Amino acid sequence: KVRVAYKSYVKVDVYNVAGEKVAALEKADCPAGQASELAWNIRGIASGVYVYRLEAQSSAGSRSVIKKLAVVH
């Protein structure tokens, strides 16, 4: 889930520890101040640590963050 301050286009790229992109998620028109959900089907994805880059673009500008996540089956 993601919550943005302005109506935004949100893009999430997920990478494995080797730096290979394993998923690309996006959602247009995420409403301001409300939680929006981007679903990632992890079927076929190995358990382990991944890095994701979330970018939100709105009329007020863009912002991105990079974080780690764990997938456990």
Side-chain angles (χ1 to χ4, degrees):
K1 291 185 180 182
V2 62
R3 181 173 290 165
V4 292
Y6 301 95
K7 181 179 175 183
S8 301
Y9 164 80
V10 175
K11 179 180 176 185
V12 179
D13 292 323
V14 184
Y15 300 89
N16 62 19
V17 292
E20 301 166 323
K21 187 187 287 188
V22 296
L25 313 169
E26 59 184 44
K27 184 166 185 165
D29 299 329
C30 290
Q34 297 180 9
S36 296
E37 189 171 306
L38 287 88
W40 178 27
N41 182 355
I42 60 170
R43 198 172 292 167
I45 298 293
S47 293
V49 176
Y50 293 83
V51 175
Y52 69 91
R53 180 177 186 269
L54 183 145
E55 182 177 6
Q57 299 174 350
S58 71
S59 60
S62 67
R63 181 159 184 199
S64 65
V65 294
I66 298 172
K67 299 212 175 201
K68 294 178 187 175
L69 67 93
V71 172
V72 180
H73 289 282

